[in-house]
Amino acid sequence: MDVQMKDSGLLHVTLTKMCELHAIDMPRNGELAEHFQLAFPSANYDEEADEWRMLWKKGTYAESNARLEAFFSERGVAFSHVDKC
């Protein structure tokens, strides 16, 4: 899992776009995960991949990324994108 504590103490999350599948590399449990589940109820944790997964329809990627970015930014969590689509 690529979740890292930065020098500033902020959590870093990697967001991976795999076409219709988005992977969110963050811990399964904890306060951030609880808020994430409330904000994105369609997300589920993939035990095998050890990351959160969400499906989004083609044509909504920009909106999807904006929602994820806003969610993490509002909580002071740094993030980066990986595009595998």
Side-chain angles (χ1 to χ4, degrees):
M1 184 178 288
D2 187 27
V3 176
Q4 305 167 0
M5 292 303 288
K6 298 294 184 185
D7 290 339
S8 65
L10 296 178
L11 187 67
H12 180 266
V13 175
T14 301
L15 310 172
T16 305
K17 181 173 70 172
M18 299 177 285
C19 298
E20 291 185 5
L21 179 65
H22 284 60
I24 300 90
D25 201 5
M26 63 176 219
R28 176 182 185 170
N29 297 308
E31 187 176 341
L32 183 62
E34 289 175 22
H35 290 285
F36 184 77
Q37 286 182 296
L38 292 172
F40 301 96
S42 65
N44 61 10
Y45 192 81
D46 185 319
E47 295 282 345
E48 197 169 302
D50 197 27
E51 63 191 5
W52 289 88
R53 298 276 175 100
M54 298 173 68
L55 291 175
W56 271 310
K57 295 179 183 173
K58 190 172 184 173
T60 65
Y61 298 150
E63 179 184 335
S64 301
N65 282 335
R67 286 186 61 218
L68 281 170
E69 289 175 1
F71 173 82
F72 290 114
S73 291
E74 290 167 2
R75 287 157 182 81
V77 177
F79 56 87
S80 59
H81 289 275
V82 175
D83 189 347
K84 293 186 176 181
C85 187

